[in-house]
Amino acid sequence: MYDVIVIGAGPGGYVSAIRCAQLGLKTAVVEGRETLGGTCLNVGCIPSKALLHATHMLHEAEHNFATMGLTGKSPGVDWDKMLAYKSDVVGQNTGGIEFLFKKNKIDWIKGWGTIPAAGKVQVGDTVHETRNIIIATGSEPSSLPGVEVDEKIVVTSTGALELAKRPKKMVVIGAGVIGLELGSVYARMGTEVTVIEYLKTVTPGMDGEVQRTFKRMLQKQGFTFIMDAAVQGVTTTKTKAKVTYKSNKSGEVAVVDADVVLVATGRKPFTDGLGLDALGVETEPRGQIKTDAQWRTNIPGIYAIGDAIPGPMLAHKAEDEGMAVAEVIAGKAGHVNYGVIPGVIYTHPEVATVGKTEAELKEEGRKYKVGKFSFMGNARAKAVFAGDGFVKLIADKETDRILGAHIIGPAAGDLIHEVCVAMEFGASAQDLALTCHAHPTYSEAVREAALACGDGAIHA
Ligand code: NAI
């Protein structure tokens, strides 16, 4: 008899299992993949970051080395070797989770689980008994009508991470996080990348100024954008594809050719085969599992977290829920502050965001002030060709309390956490502005944005 069986070993599930074990609960994890870590470690965040790093190095060599007096033959791309490097990075990380499971005495039940009843998880012919079940089965790419994925010519993010060869022309459907990160990988290696997006802006939901700046920067890196257009269908031959799209404004239909088409139009909860219908687990209209504020489903003893429930589909949101639900099960007060969940896009420059956007605050009718600082005024950024971009800090007009931050620029994904901590402590912009920041660092730009919320930035 286990105290907890977690189904799914992605960032939500494995983190939850470790916290359960640390809190003294007898814990097992059911995972059908050959390796632990779920989408994030195997075919998502981690392999894409390896390819983003490698291709960014190539970009630096091709564009900035000569300026810095670094001369000599430019590096070429050995694609197979780059893929091997990526696989090695994945292996180190998935192996690390296996080590952590052993260290924390967590059983890995290999196979795909179903829940025949509360308190039971079946894997193959064996039924395991448990007091609590945590569903952490994550998500899978959404399908698009008229587009059939073969993971060779028409790929999801999974196929895009191991293409047989580098395409000359790639069409990306969807200007969201996946499309722009993986599009960047290929654009940096010389692929002509065309992004077709349904909306008028890239990265839906983000700060408008960030969206416009980001799109302009990507265009400078060679991206072509076809905005405000709906993909109608994709046809393929043995080696090529044709993508048909229709302009939302004019209704005109056009076709673009590609060697590879990346479908990046969002993800949906992956709960197939769990037996949720038979159990009577309630779901939301869009298929996510319905839970209360402490991740309980309507069936006692069954909890759900991560991409399988509503909220941003982010590894770190799942991790936080995983830790918190473990604490709830152990009788403690598990809590997640959904108002302070950062979002990061790992392109170059990085984009990072937390809290409210101006558009959201306008809609709420809340009075706010904005402190903005360009990386052009940051000495460190200029030294590394990263002066493009800015930090925008938003604070309450009356109280000066920080309400959000939107950063596009060097190391934005790290800088954002200073603001996250400040927000968790209910800090004012002035609190950040009065905090000494080491010189020369990118973080000074965050301080300057905070100063700009008050009497003014120094280097503006
Ligand atoms: P997304 O929701 O970020 O973007 C999908 C885009 O596709 C949207 O802009 C949407 O308007 C567009 N779209 C939808 N239907 C379309 C159509 N028929 N024609 C043209 N455009 C269409 O989804 P994405 O990029 O697939 O990512 C899935 C999830 O994975 C997201 O929730 C994302 O947050 C997460 N993710 C996060 C990463 C990170 O944190 N760095 C990295 C990769 C994924």
Side-chain angles (χ1 to χ4, degrees):
M1 170 67 92
Y2 287 102
D3 290 314
V4 181
I5 294 183
V6 183
I7 307 182
Y14 87 70
V15 166
S16 191
I18 292 172
R19 179 55 101 227
C20 286
Q22 287 172 335
L23 295 173
L25 302 169
K26 187 171 160 48
T27 307
V29 176
V30 179
E31 173 57 59
R33 238 183 240 275
E34 291 298 308
T35 47
L36 300 171
T39 300
C40 170
L41 269 67
N42 287 284
V43 289
C45 322
I46 302 304
S48 61
K49 259 81 271 176
L51 295 183
L52 280 161
H53 175 69
T55 54
H56 177 57
M57 294 294 108
L58 177 69
H59 176 92
E60 287 294 287
E62 287 175 347
H63 293 85
N64 295 327
F65 273 20
T67 316
M68 292 186 284
L70 299 171
T71 54
K73 204 168 147 258
S74 268
V77 176
D78 181 335
W79 180 234
D80 290 339
K81 203 152 185 188
M82 198 186 285
L83 291 181
Y85 147 70
K86 175 213 70 173
S87 302
D88 182 52
V89 170
V90 169
Q92 287 178 39
N93 282 280
T94 57
I97 309 301
E98 220 174 316
F99 163 78
L100 289 174
F101 273 20
K102 284 191 187 125
K103 187 180 155 205
N104 287 284
K105 302 192 171 42
I106 297 164
D107 292 339
W108 174 6
I109 304 171
K110 293 187 184 176
W112 302 100
T114 48
I115 311 173
K120 294 184 197 307
V121 175
Q122 182 167 355
V123 181
D125 295 332
T126 314
V127 176
H128 303 268
E129 308 274 330
T130 178
R131 291 185 181 87
N132 300 283
I133 296 168
I134 301 171
I135 300 171
T137 46
S139 59
E140 60 180 345
S142 315
S143 52
L144 196 59
V147 182
E148 204 170 311
V149 169
D150 59 17
E151 294 296 9
K152 287 196 165 60
I153 294 178
V154 183
V155 297
T156 65
S157 50
T158 305
L161 290 166
E162 47 187 26
L163 294 177
K165 59 177 193 186
R166 286 180 292 142
K168 283 206 177 70
K169 286 185 181 180
M170 178 183 245
V171 167
V172 175
I173 309 177
V177 191
I178 292 181
L180 300 184
E181 284 187 3
L182 289 176
S184 289
V185 164
Y186 289 97
R188 290 169 190 171
M189 292 187 290
T191 298
E192 275 176 44
V193 176
T194 303
V195 182
I196 306 178
E197 165 59 47
Y198 186 79
L199 300 172
K200 292 192 177 95
T201 55
V202 301
T203 57
M206 282 207 171
D207 173 84
E209 262 179 288
V210 167
Q211 289 175 328
R212 288 189 292 278
T213 309
F214 190 29
K215 185 172 162 225
R216 179 177 51 75
M217 287 178 175
L218 291 172
Q219 279 167 323
K220 252 167 84 181
Q221 293 171 23
F223 275 65
T224 302
F225 286 96
I226 298 170
M227 306 300 289
D228 200 9
V231 167
Q232 308 279 290
V234 177
T235 53
T236 53
T237 61
K238 231 175 174 178
T239 54
K240 301 257 180 233
K242 281 189 187 301
V243 183
T244 309
Y245 66 91
K246 188 175 171 183
S247 158
N248 290 332
K249 205 166 151 202
S250 65
E252 222 169 279
V253 174
V255 177
V256 213
D257 293 323
D259 303 307
V260 168
V261 179
L262 167 60
V263 186
T265 51
R267 298 178 62 87
K268 60 176 186 196
F270 176 60
T271 53
D272 295 353
L274 284 174
L276 298 187
D277 284 347
L279 266 171
V281 173
E282 283 177 20
T283 53
E284 302 280 348
R286 292 182 62 202
Q288 302 108 325
I289 299 171
K290 207 173 183 168
T291 68
D292 68 8
Q294 293 192 306
W295 307 281
R296 293 182 189 92
T297 68
N298 61 314
I299 308 288
I302 303 183
Y303 300 77
I305 59 166
D307 286 8
I309 69 168
M313 288 184 158
L314 297 170
H316 44 281
K317 175 257 193 190
E319 289 181 34
D320 278 27
E321 290 173 342
M323 284 192 277
V325 76
E327 284 168 15
V328 169
I329 291 171
K332 294 171 172 263
H335 175 73
V336 172
N337 179 2
Y338 288 101
V340 186
I341 294 184
V344 179
I345 309 180
Y346 300 87
T347 43
H348 200 83
E350 289 182 350
V351 177
T353 175
V354 68
K356 302 278 186 183
T357 60
E358 287 191 73
E360 284 168 337
L361 290 167
K362 276 186 189 132
E363 204 171 311
E364 287 174 17
R366 188 157 180 187
K367 291 206 164 51
Y368 64 88
K369 55 187 172 178
V370 171
K372 204 176 144 193
F373 187 77
S374 161
F375 278 102
M376 270 310 169
N378 180 272
R380 180 73 179 277
K382 273 194 296 208
V384 301
F385 313 98
D388 234 357
F390 58 84
V391 178
K392 183 195 258 195
L393 197 72
I394 303 179
D396 187 278
K397 184 143 195 181
E398 305 293 321
T399 64
D400 196 37
R401 188 179 177 140
I402 300 169
L403 302 175
H406 309 281
I407 308 178
I408 179 164
D414 290 301
L415 297 182
I416 198 76
H417 295 95
E418 170 177 5
V419 183
C420 295
V421 173
M423 286 176 75
E424 285 288 357
F425 280 83
S428 63
Q430 194 185 32
D431 289 324
L432 271 192
L434 292 177
T435 303
C436 184
H437 285 61
H439 176 74
T441 58
Y442 305 132
S443 74
E444 288 173 288
V446 178
R447 184 196 199 174
E448 293 267 25
L451 281 163
C453 282
D455 294 332
I458 301 296
H459 297 89

